[in-house]
Amino acid sequence: MISAADEKQEVPGLRDLTESWLSAIGEDPSREGLLKTPHRVAKAWGFLTAGYTKSLQEAVGDAVFAADGSEMVIVKDIEFYSMCEHHMLPFYGRAHIAYIPDGKILGLSKFARIVDLYSRRLQVQERITTQIADAVQELLSPQGVAVQMEGVHLCMAMRGVQKQNSSTTTSAMRGAFKDDPRTRAEFMSAIQVTLRSR
C-alpha cells in the first residue's frame, strides 16, 4: 500500500507510463520484484526534476547580503546530478563557481542550491554551466563570475561509443573573468589543485 504522502511526491501519470515501459521491454510489471517499481520511478523522477518547480529567488531566499570587499570567492567541488535530455540517462560531476563581489555576497550554501536548481531538470551540461553563471550575475551584479563543470555522461559510457573513462568540461566566464586573463588564470589555478588531487 502506498501512502498519500508518498503519492504526493510522484510525478503525476508516471506510474502508469512506467508499467507500460516495463511491458514494452519484455518485463512483467506484476512480478514481485517490480510491483512497486512504477511508484518508485514516479517518486524518483519527482526528485530528479525538482528544478522545474522552483524559481531562483525561492532557491536563494534572503541569503544575499551587503558586504565590503572585492576579493575573489571560490566555491569548489559542488556535486551535481542531472539527466541528459537526449537519452534520459544520468550525468554527474562537480561544479566550481567563483565571483568577485561588488557590494553584495551570497551565503555559501546557496551556490549548491543554484547548482541543484538547474541540474535537476532534463539538461545538457553546457546549458547548466551558462545558467549558473547567469544566475550569480543576476543575483549579485558582481565584477565577474566564473563557472567550470566537469561531468561524466552515462549516455557515452553505457551506450553508443561506450567510453567509460571520458569526461566533459564546460565553462562560462562573465565580467572580469572573461576580460582579464590574470583573473581567469587565478581561478583556473585554484581549481586545478582540486582536479589533480583526484
Side-chain angles (χ1 to χ4, degrees), residues 78-81 91-95 150-152:
I78 303 169
E79 295 178 12
F80 76 89
Y81 300 89
F91 66 98
Y92 62 92
R94 294 178 183 272
E150 310 155 79
V152 174

Side-chain angles (χ1 to χ4, degrees), residues 7 13 46 59:
E7 272 195 357

Side-chain angles (χ1 to χ4, degrees), residues 1 10 13 24 44 71 74 81 83 88 121 125 157 165 168 176 183 191-192 198:
M1 187 70 178
E10 289 186 6
E71 299 301 318
I74 304 174
Y81 300 89
M83 301 296 287
M88 293 173 63
R121 305 176 181 191
Q125 185 175 320
N165 295 315
T168 300
T183 303
I191 66 172
Q192 284 304 316
R198 285 196 204 130

